[in-house]
Amino acid sequence: MTPMADVSTPAPPSGRIRTRTWAVVLAACVGQFLVVLDVSVVNVALPSMRADLGLSATGLQWVLNAYSIAFAGFMLLGGRAADLYGRKRMFLVGLGLFTAASLAGGLAQEGWQLLAARAAQGLGAAVLAPATLTLLTAAVPEGPARAKAIGTWMAVGAGGGAAGGLVGGVLTDALSWRWVLLINVPVGVLVLTGAALWLAEGRTGGRSRIDLLGAVLVTAGLASVAYGIVQTEEAGWTAAATLVPLIGGPALLGLFVLVETRTAKPLMPLRVLGTRAVASANVAMLVIGSATFSMWYFMTVYAQNVLDYSALQAGLALMPSSFAVVIGSKSAPRLMARVGAKNLALIGTVVAAAGFGWQSTMTVHGSYLTAVCLPGVLMMAGAGLASTPLASLATSGAAPGEAGLVSGLVNTSRTMGGALGLAVLSTVAASRTGDGADPAALTAGYALAFRTAGGVLLGGLLLMLLWLPRHRAPQITSVRTASPDAPAPARPRSR
């Protein structure tokens, strides 16, 4: 009989990861790769989707937004479900739904079918993503081994997001747009089979019922805020379609906090946010994600709309940046052992801010080396260096029975930060571009967006300096890395 990797009780602290435990790490990383890949892989396929299914410009935008809103809105629910109903079970449920929705989307014959499939994909991803990190942190003891595993998880996730444009371009050119979704099916089935055979169940939250009222309120609140932000570019900040969800969303979240203080078994015990490491690391993740996730969108549209790269050429042009974020994430555990998690997060943020500042000097006739490659490498290397210590700080403050919740919170912070940041920065760029569609006007708008993102990173630097705890645990010494900030969903925009 195939031996199962135990995901219920962590092994004693050690600097090495056992062979069986790598089965858990592999399953977690593949799941995370698929989740992050699908945030961006459809970007270059959007024109083909529109031509084939007759989607309107608004409908085309919702191919992206249906996924990201469902993903962000249900993540806390997915994280808590992993604690209550079992990590393996929710991993299989999330991956199964994600795989089935990918098949439905790839076979869609009408626009509404594709949008429904993308929303179902987002729901599956919201269950799957926190389960991946929970599986990993439960199976690997805190210390050098966990730092190595989290670094691998972050690197694979970052690589999935970074590879989205290239993978989408290759599949669309070689086969059709349908394969950017159908490619998930054989991979999902393979991982489902392996996880069912190799993973043992683990549950730390008992058999308590899930807080359905809290789940509805927080999901509706987050989804409302995300929807309102999405509406800003199309309807403006003062339109009713924008103001109603932007006001209603925080009101629902406030009601959620009130309910959680009065519920015997809350979805998110507020004491979790009373832990300095959890609260500060998640806020920092949201702020940093709001700047760094937008990089992929603006670099892609700059390469295509201004430098006249094809979709495939744009994907290839950003490959050095893709490698940079993976290398940064994988280097982080070793560097954490030397400088500490907080200091490394600060260093990574400074490096990323320098890249954003450099990119803001972009011109209409910029060269590949100085206008795309080198600033992109700086931005993404810094993002990789900062993300791993922030995730490590957040999960280190979690109680065993709340690991799934904290994992979901980390993913929610990063995803919501990316969605909010992209919406705001797109509006900033549009305010400078105005009605102009010529390369000079577009470049000016993109440059302003990068300058604004750099300012956000500097604000995040100050926040981390004052709030993040100094977490330099002695067990993170002598980390050995093994070979193995996703991009935000791009919005379709005509020249």
Side-chain angles (χ1 to χ4, degrees):
M1 183 174 179
T2 305
M4 291 189 176
D6 186 7
V7 297
S8 58
T9 305
S14 169
R16 303 182 63 182
I17 301 178
R18 296 177 302 171
T19 302
R20 289 182 182 180
T21 306
W22 274 114
V24 181
V25 177
L26 178 62
C29 287
V30 173
Q32 181 70 358
F33 181 87
L34 290 176
V35 164
V36 180
L37 179 73
D38 262 63
V39 175
S40 61
V41 72
V42 301
N43 290 344
V44 297
L46 290 174
S48 298
M49 291 177 177
R50 182 174 187 176
D52 196 11
L53 300 180
L55 290 167
S56 64
T58 301
L60 199 64
Q61 186 173 355
W62 278 100
V63 173
L64 304 168
N65 295 332
Y67 181 88
S68 60
I69 289 178
F71 187 18
F74 287 96
M75 197 109 60
L76 279 180
L77 179 60
R80 191 56 175 156
D83 287 330
L84 296 179
Y85 303 129
R87 303 175 188 116
K88 175 183 175 180
R89 179 180 300 172
M90 298 316 298
F91 179 87
L92 295 176
V93 168
L95 183 56
L97 177 58
F98 183 87
T99 303
S102 297
L103 177 62
L107 299 178
Q109 300 300 311
E110 300 287 343
W112 68 266
Q113 295 172 351
L114 178 60
L115 298 185
R118 288 289 286 170
Q121 266 192 313
L123 176 57
V127 176
L128 177 60
T132 62
L133 186 54
T134 307
L135 281 171
L136 189 150
T137 55
V140 184
E142 187 170 358
R146 181 181 291 182
K148 181 193 299 184
I150 289 179
T152 300
W153 180 84
M154 293 295 299
V156 171
L166 179 60
V167 172
V170 170
L171 291 174
T172 302
D173 287 348
L175 299 171
S176 79
W177 67 264
R178 297 182 181 278
W179 279 96
V180 302
L181 299 173
L182 293 176
I183 192 65
N184 295 326
V185 178
V187 178
V189 170
L190 182 63
V191 177
L192 276 169
T193 303
L197 293 174
W198 294 334
L199 299 185
E201 187 55 276
R203 181 191 292 116
T204 56
R207 295 184 177 273
S208 302
R209 292 184 178 179
I210 202 162
D211 175 17
L212 290 179
L213 179 58
V216 170
L217 288 173
V218 72
T219 300
L222 290 174
S224 181
V225 171
Y227 177 81
I229 290 292
V230 164
Q231 289 294 102
T232 58
E233 190 173 354
E234 180 180 348
W237 287 93
T238 59
T242 300
L243 290 177
V244 170
L246 285 181
I247 294 173
L252 289 172
L253 292 175
L255 186 58
F256 164 72
V257 171
L258 180 63
V259 168
E260 296 305 278
T261 62
R262 300 172 180 270
T263 302
K265 299 292 184 180
L267 176 68
M268 188 181 73
L270 297 182
R271 66 177 181 277
V272 171
L273 293 178
T275 304
R276 181 179 176 185
V278 174
S280 60
N282 274 280
V283 173
M285 188 75 83
L286 186 145
V287 173
I288 302 304
S290 70
T292 57
F293 271 39
S294 64
M295 172 268 187
W296 299 105
Y297 169 66
F298 287 109
M299 291 292 278
T300 300
V301 293
Y302 171 62
Q304 292 180 301
N305 292 349
V306 177
L307 302 182
D308 288 327
Y309 289 13
S310 68
L312 183 55
Q313 287 174 328
L316 290 171
L318 293 176
M319 286 306 294
S321 303
S322 305
F323 289 129
V325 71
V326 173
I327 291 171
S329 299
K330 285 301 297 170
S331 301
R334 185 185 298 275
L335 294 174
M336 283 168 59
R338 300 190 178 192
V339 303
K342 176 177 180 176
N343 289 337
L344 184 59
L346 295 174
I347 292 169
T349 304
V350 169
V351 172
F356 274 85
W358 187 351
Q359 189 64 52
S360 70
T361 64
M362 62 208 300
T363 64
V364 174
H365 303 292
S367 69
Y368 168 70
L369 187 63
T370 59
V372 176
C373 180
L374 294 181
V377 166
L378 275 182
M379 285 185 280
M380 289 299 99
L385 288 173
S387 296
T388 298
L390 288 175
S392 180
L393 282 168
T395 56
S396 68
E402 295 165 350
L405 171 63
V406 174
S407 299
L409 194 58
V410 169
N411 280 288
T412 298
S413 299
R414 184 167 53 178
T415 305
M416 284 301 298
L420 296 173
L422 180 61
V424 172
L425 292 173
S426 294
T427 302
V428 168
S431 69
R432 174 60 61 88
T433 302
D435 295 329
D438 59 283
L442 293 173
T443 302
Y446 302 153
L448 180 60
F450 279 106
R451 280 195 295 275
T452 304
V456 170
L457 286 174
L458 293 178
L461 183 70
L462 179 61
L463 180 148
M464 289 187 287
L465 184 64
L466 297 177
W467 195 7
L468 280 181
R470 290 200 172 274
H471 182 75
R472 187 168 182 165
Q475 64 267 25
I476 304 184
T477 57
S478 70
V479 177
R480 293 188 179 182
T481 58
S483 57
D485 223 78
R491 300 188 182 195
R493 179 170 180 168
S494 60
R495 287 188 58 169

